[in-house]
Amino acid sequence: MDTSDRSSRRRLVLIAAGSVTTLVCGVGIYGLATGPHTPTSTPSTSPTITTSPSPSSTTTATASPSASGAPSVPPVARSADPEQFARNVATTLFAWDTTTGLLPLDYTSAILAVGDPSGAEQAGLATDVAAYLPSRTAWQDLRAYGTSQHLIIDRAYIPDQWGEALAQAPEGQLAPGTVAYTIEGTRHRTGTWNGEPVTSAHKVEFTVFVVCAPTYDTCHLLRLSQLDNPLR
């Protein structure tokens, strides 16, 4: 295989997830600028905490059959622990498979299902998630090469900049239990080229903003930072 073939193979199988728009408020709060939101109890629409085990940071979430037999995206595992929930979101966010018949919108819906029940950040969150996934056109290209992806998390931590953001945020702007976790990990992609397997690994960093107790009994996702531009 000549140099141009190798370059073409790499370009087609390892298409980047796409561009994103940075949404920054104050010293780095992405979104989260919609004003006070401090419900005293969990809304009736908020799912309850489950006791099923959360996936590990090395688990690849693959599509599973629904009740009708059609493939579906595994849901984000619920947790009342903010770090574990942030890890669960990150794992699901990066886990997709173009060979299942699902589309990027299906994976987006799985993330939005654990969004803030108030809906205040839902539109912004939808934009955030879409930026992490291939476009529909890129998805079709990737499907031709049987491309799938998963994330292995190396580290999850509360960034120092979050403390600065909390100190500068107006009183009542952030719901109690709102916290940011920066995720560091490696995005792995696999596919085929002329019947041969090809792989890639790429370091990624991003910040997950969640809200947990005492606002809600179980954690919910607020926003995502720009990929590779996290709070530190």
Side-chain angles (χ1 to χ4, degrees):
M1 183 180 298
D2 60 27
T3 302
S4 61
D5 285 340
R6 288 195 298 271
S7 176
S8 177
R9 177 187 68 181
R10 189 171 184 83
R11 180 174 65 253
L12 289 170
V13 177
L14 311 178
I15 292 176
S19 61
V20 292
T21 301
T22 307
L23 303 175
V24 184
C25 173
V27 295
I29 301 178
Y30 292 76
L32 313 185
T34 56
H37 171 54
T38 54
T40 56
S41 61
T42 304
S44 59
T45 57
S46 176
T48 58
I49 302 174
T50 63
T51 57
S52 57
S54 299
S56 69
S57 59
T58 58
T59 298
T60 302
T62 55
S64 58
S66 63
S68 63
S72 61
V73 180
V76 177
R78 299 284 183 174
S79 178
D81 178 80
E83 179 179 344
Q84 185 60 58
F85 181 69
R87 287 174 174 268
N88 296 347
V89 167
T91 299
T92 303
L93 178 65
F94 277 80
W96 48 256
D97 187 342
T98 62
T99 68
T100 61
L102 297 171
L103 295 172
L105 184 59
D106 297 308
Y107 291 92
T108 298
S109 297
I111 301 297
L112 294 182
V114 296
D116 181 2
S118 74
E121 298 289 350
Q122 201 76 342
L125 178 59
T127 299
D128 297 343
V129 176
Y132 278 74
L133 294 168
S135 67
R136 191 181 180 95
T137 299
W139 190 266
Q140 298 301 326
D141 291 337
L142 291 167
R143 177 180 289 173
Y145 299 94
T147 308
S148 62
Q149 175 179 278
H150 70 277
L151 177 71
I152 294 179
I153 297 173
D154 299 320
R155 181 187 180 203
Y157 64 96
I158 299 176
D160 292 340
Q161 285 180 306
W162 179 245
E164 298 172 7
L166 290 177
Q168 297 185 33
E171 183 178 357
Q173 180 186 24
L174 301 176
T178 300
V179 64
Y181 274 89
T182 291
I183 306 293
E184 296 177 355
T186 303
R187 181 195 73 189
H188 295 269
R189 285 190 180 180
T190 62
T192 60
W193 177 263
N194 290 335
E196 297 181 1
V198 291
T199 63
S200 75
H202 179 73
K203 291 289 186 182
V204 294
E205 297 177 282
F206 55 100
T207 300
V208 179
F209 299 89
V210 305
V211 56
C212 303
T215 295
Y216 297 119
D217 292 335
T218 185
C219 297
H220 293 276
L221 178 62
L222 291 172
R223 298 295 300 269
L224 300 165
S225 77
Q226 181 184 35
L227 182 62
D228 293 330
N229 187 24
L231 299 187
R232 301 183 186 280

